[in-house]
Amino acid sequence: MANDPKFLTIAVLGGTGKEGSGLVLRWAQSGYRVLIGSRAADRAEEKAVELNELLGDDIVQGMSNVDAAKEADLVILSVPYSAHEPILESVKEVVQGKILVDVTVPLKPPAVRTVHVPEGLAASLEAAALLGENVKVVAAFQNISAVHLKQLDHAVDCDVLICGDDDQAKSEVSQLVEAIAGMRAIDAGPLANAVAVEALTPVLLYINKRYKTVGAGIRITGLE
Amino acid sequence: MANDPKFLTIAVLGGTGKEGSGLVLRWAQSGYRVLIGSRAADRAEEKAVELNELLGDDIVQGMSNVDAAKEADLVILSVPYSAHEPILESVKEVVQGKILVDVTVPLKPPAVRTVHVPEGLAASLEAAALLGENVKVVAAFQNISAVHLKQLDHAVDCDVLICGDDDQAKSEVSQLVEAIAGMRAIDAGPLANAVAVEALTPVLLYINKRYKTVGAGIRITGLE
């Protein structure tokens, strides 16, 4: 029983945002205990009330980013790129020894449909450099449309490319992926490969606009 | 009739390589006149003989890169990254006013399964900077497995993400994509977005090894 991943407590920092709250909903629906973190604890608490109502359950809790990161077994970071570094600094101490899954995409508004390569090449590489070697940083979920996450009765037609330098951490994140209906976890290599995955998000945003759709995603072909 | 794309002559610089010769075969099979370019004209001529035998036709010709680029209406560049800049320098003059489709991926051997971001962020952005504003550089075909291209009776299960700053040029390249069975052309935005598409190739090479397959590709979901 102790190995059942459902006994994990997941913190979603930035869980009040569109993508973050979509992930919170899906994992809560699958039975995980989920903590919403926000810079303002009261906003996180309000969001938790809203999501619990949607779920008809009382499984989501809201609190500050630091408290959520401290209490969780595994930490998800889903924030606008402009908030990425300050939030990482604020939780650096409390995530030591944990897995941090970075969902952040280095978009540069207003040109969010054009790839922007940050100084450290990828947000998740910057996170790993900032947090140090005792945090296992994994990059995942950047290409999943928030619109699909919110439709709880609807399977998400998208693969999740998982990048990281620790195989055990990637395998734990794969379980979180496959807890969401429709998603398939794909091991996409070392954390350096997150450059490709993060850069794909502005391409998908471009495709959404160009083809008048809302939730373009990707599938890997040629497997099996 | 003059607007029929089949009246285009296509040069594939680096057409003796695996990916390049796969593209040559597919376009020749679709009825395009295709010129193989190589640094050594005799190697290009030998390859043309070999491919014409496979095709049972006499539609492919081999010559030097410069002669092929000069004679063609549209130029494809499919070379190892180490040869990218010198070959571009050699054809710079003769491609002025044309479309150049860059298929080159900035791999850094031996770590070809790890993303390598070049100085100019993408090979195709480097090509555009080198060739100047009178050449319409389009990035495409980087994610297509050569293995699939070679199996002529087999549809290629992969979308082709097309990046470029000129809509007319992207539309011409779309026609070349859809001339190959199974492929779907997707407008993926400005040339800056080629960063994502080029970086996806080492990820696909990683996936091939990790999942013991040979021809992983991608499909965009959520369209229509």
Side-chain angles (χ1 to χ4, degrees):
Chain A
M1 289 285 280
N3 287 324
D4 187 327
K6 300 289 169 68
F7 283 79
L8 277 183
T9 295
I10 305 172
V12 181
L13 312 185
T16 55
K18 275 196 226 175
E19 184 80 14
S21 63
L23 290 168
V24 170
L25 275 174
R26 292 288 185 154
W27 285 319
Q29 190 187 33
S30 295
Y32 285 96
R33 177 168 175 245
V34 191
L35 312 178
I36 294 181
S38 175
R39 272 180 289 190
D42 56 346
R43 284 190 35 228
E45 286 161 17
E46 281 166 32
K47 196 68 177 184
V49 169
E50 179 195 325
L51 300 188
N52 281 325
E53 272 173 26
L54 263 170
L55 290 160
D57 201 343
D58 198 31
I59 195 167
V60 179
Q61 264 180 281
M63 57 190 73
S64 73
N65 281 324
V66 175
D67 286 344
K70 198 185 294 180
E71 193 168 332
D73 302 303
L74 185 148
V75 178
I76 310 284
L77 180 61
S78 174
V79 294
Y81 183 61
S82 56
H84 188 249
E85 187 179 331
I87 291 182
L88 283 168
E89 291 285 6
S90 75
V91 300
K92 179 174 179 177
E93 226 173 280
V94 298
V95 298
Q96 294 299 313
K98 299 184 181 178
I99 295 172
L100 182 131
V101 183
D102 203 345
V103 183
T104 307
V105 176
L107 299 178
K108 194 177 179 183
V112 299
R113 295 177 193 89
T114 299
V115 173
H116 163 241
V117 180
E119 207 180 305
L121 302 180
S124 51
L125 288 169
E126 294 176 335
L130 191 153
L131 296 173
E133 61 185 11
N134 289 325
V135 179
K136 292 169 184 168
V137 174
V138 174
F141 302 107
Q142 302 94 334
N143 304 323
I144 307 300
S145 153
V147 175
H148 292 312
L149 289 173
K150 294 278 168 93
Q151 300 175 322
L152 290 179
D153 55 347
H154 163 107
V156 180
D157 186 13
C158 195
D159 285 342
V160 175
L161 303 179
I162 301 175
C163 303
D165 295 330
D166 184 284
D167 286 340
Q168 175 60 27
K170 285 198 278 190
S171 153
E172 290 191 33
V173 176
S174 295
Q175 294 185 46
L176 295 186
V177 171
E178 308 218 330
I180 301 179
M183 287 188 189
R184 180 175 61 168
I186 304 271
D187 176 1
L191 195 62
N193 285 359
V195 171
V197 186
E198 294 183 13
L200 206 51
T201 300
V203 172
L204 294 172
L205 295 175
Y206 177 90
I207 289 171
N208 281 344
K209 188 172 187 201
R210 173 72 175 73
Y211 294 96
K212 301 184 173 57
T213 179
V214 287
I218 62 154
R219 285 288 189 197
I220 298 297
T221 60
L223 300 185
E224 296 155 329
Chain B
M1 291 286 280
N3 287 325
D4 185 328
K6 300 290 169 65
F7 283 79
L8 278 182
T9 296
I10 305 170
V12 181
L13 312 186
T16 55
K18 275 196 225 175
E19 183 80 14
S21 62
L23 290 168
V24 170
L25 275 174
R26 292 287 185 155
W27 286 319
Q29 190 187 33
S30 296
Y32 285 96
R33 178 168 174 244
V34 191
L35 311 177
I36 294 180
S38 174
R39 272 181 289 191
D42 55 346
R43 284 190 33 228
E45 287 162 16
E46 280 166 30
K47 195 68 176 185
V49 169
E50 180 194 324
L51 300 188
N52 281 324
E53 271 173 25
L54 264 170
L55 291 159
D57 201 341
D58 198 29
I59 194 167
V60 179
Q61 264 180 281
M63 57 190 73
S64 73
N65 281 323
V66 176
D67 286 345
K70 198 185 293 179
E71 193 167 333
D73 301 302
L74 185 148
V75 178
I76 310 284
L77 180 60
S78 175
V79 295
Y81 184 61
S82 56
H84 188 249
E85 186 180 331
I87 292 182
L88 283 168
E89 290 285 7
S90 75
V91 299
K92 178 175 179 176
E93 226 173 281
V94 297
V95 299
Q96 293 299 313
K98 299 184 182 179
I99 295 171
L100 182 130
V101 183
D102 203 344
V103 184
T104 306
V105 176
L107 299 177
K108 193 176 179 184
V112 299
R113 295 177 194 90
T114 298
V115 172
H116 164 240
V117 180
E119 207 179 304
L121 302 180
S124 51
L125 287 169
E126 294 177 334
L130 191 153
L131 296 172
E133 60 186 11
N134 289 324
V135 179
K136 291 169 184 168
V137 174
V138 174
F141 303 107
Q142 302 93 333
N143 304 323
I144 306 301
S145 153
V147 174
H148 292 310
L149 289 173
K150 294 280 168 91
Q151 299 175 322
L152 290 179
D153 54 349
H154 164 106
V156 180
D157 186 13
C158 196
D159 285 341
V160 175
L161 301 179
I162 301 177
C163 303
D165 295 330
D166 185 283
D167 286 340
Q168 175 58 28
K170 285 199 279 190
S171 154
E172 290 192 35
V173 175
S174 294
Q175 294 185 46
L176 295 185
V177 170
E178 307 216 332
I180 301 179
M183 286 189 191
R184 179 174 63 166
I186 305 271
D187 176 0
L191 195 62
N193 285 359
V195 171
V197 186
E198 294 183 13
L200 206 52
T201 300
V203 172
L204 294 172
L205 295 175
Y206 177 89
I207 289 171
N208 281 344
K209 189 172 187 199
R210 172 70 175 73
Y211 294 95
K212 299 185 173 56
T213 177
V214 286
I218 62 153
R219 287 286 189 196
I220 299 295
T221 60
L223 300 184
E224 294 155 329

